[in-house]
Amino acid sequence: MRKSLDFLYNGAAALAALFMVGLLVMILLSIVSRQLHFNVPGVDAYAGYLMAGAGFLALAHTLKRGEHIRVTLILSHLGPAARRWLERWAMGAGAVLAVLFAVFSVRLVWNSHAFNDISTGNDATALWIPQLAMAVGTVILAIASIDEFILEWRGRVASQHTEALRHE
């Protein structure tokens, strides 16, 4: 199961990297089109879609590597038992919020598809298509958050997570 989950997180990160490359291509296309005096409709909108998609798809991988911003000021002043319970509470609250975020993101995509919602820009893109990256990213984040919560309750902390904490 661990290998499958890690493959999921790494796959989402690889897809986020591809979105970043697509973002670079859109920006370069915008620059070149301005210099050569031709218009490519929707380039700015697609750049925005790719940037948002990259951010959402990278969330789970970032969480699993322990790179999300953490406030350890309180944790550093607590004893081991209190620290463990505060970590469990924080991971539980984070997992609940991640699941809610995923549910509402999936509902947004569903509603955009059901109502045939399109972009108001000159690209007229069906909005459920770029929103799909957000929904997939938040679902994978919810899985990663639940994974971290379970690891915390089992008393195991991923090695990358503890490595990141040492550098704070």
Side-chain angles (χ1 to χ4, degrees):
M1 185 69 157
R2 174 62 35 214
K3 285 185 180 185
S4 298
L5 289 173
D6 288 341
F7 180 76
L8 178 66
Y9 308 141
N10 291 333
L15 193 55
L18 286 176
F19 275 48
M20 290 296 290
V21 171
L23 174 62
L24 173 66
V25 169
M26 288 296 121
I27 291 171
L28 291 176
L29 181 60
S30 176
I31 293 169
V32 168
S33 68
R34 266 188 249 126
Q35 294 299 318
L36 298 178
H37 306 292
F38 68 91
N39 182 31
V40 179
V43 171
D44 293 335
Y46 290 124
Y49 301 151
L50 289 166
M51 186 180 347
F56 281 103
L57 288 168
L59 285 173
H61 189 261
T62 305
L63 175 70
K64 293 304 287 182
R65 290 183 48 105
E67 298 294 332
H68 280 240
I69 296 173
R70 294 174 47 101
V71 180
T72 56
L73 182 64
I74 296 172
L75 286 175
S76 64
H77 289 88
L78 294 176
R83 184 179 306 131
R84 184 173 55 250
W85 281 104
L86 186 58
E87 283 280 352
R88 287 176 178 175
W89 180 86
M91 285 295 175
V96 167
L97 290 173
V99 167
L100 288 171
F101 194 18
V103 166
F104 284 104
S105 295
V106 170
R107 280 183 51 190
L108 176 67
V109 172
W110 185 268
N111 287 335
S112 291
H113 185 268
F115 296 129
N116 295 318
D117 200 8
I118 61 169
S119 167
T120 57
N122 59 359
D123 60 319
T125 301
L127 286 179
W128 70 269
I129 297 170
Q131 290 170 350
L132 197 57
M134 177 186 68
V136 169
T138 56
V139 167
I140 297 172
L141 175 65
I143 293 168
S145 297
I146 293 167
D147 182 20
E148 283 293 308
F149 179 67
I150 291 169
L151 287 174
E152 189 66 41
W153 270 96
R154 286 185 172 176
R156 292 185 298 137
V157 179
S159 60
Q160 297 113 345
H161 185 67
T162 55
E163 180 66 26
L165 286 177
R166 273 191 253 139
H167 297 295
E168 288 186 6

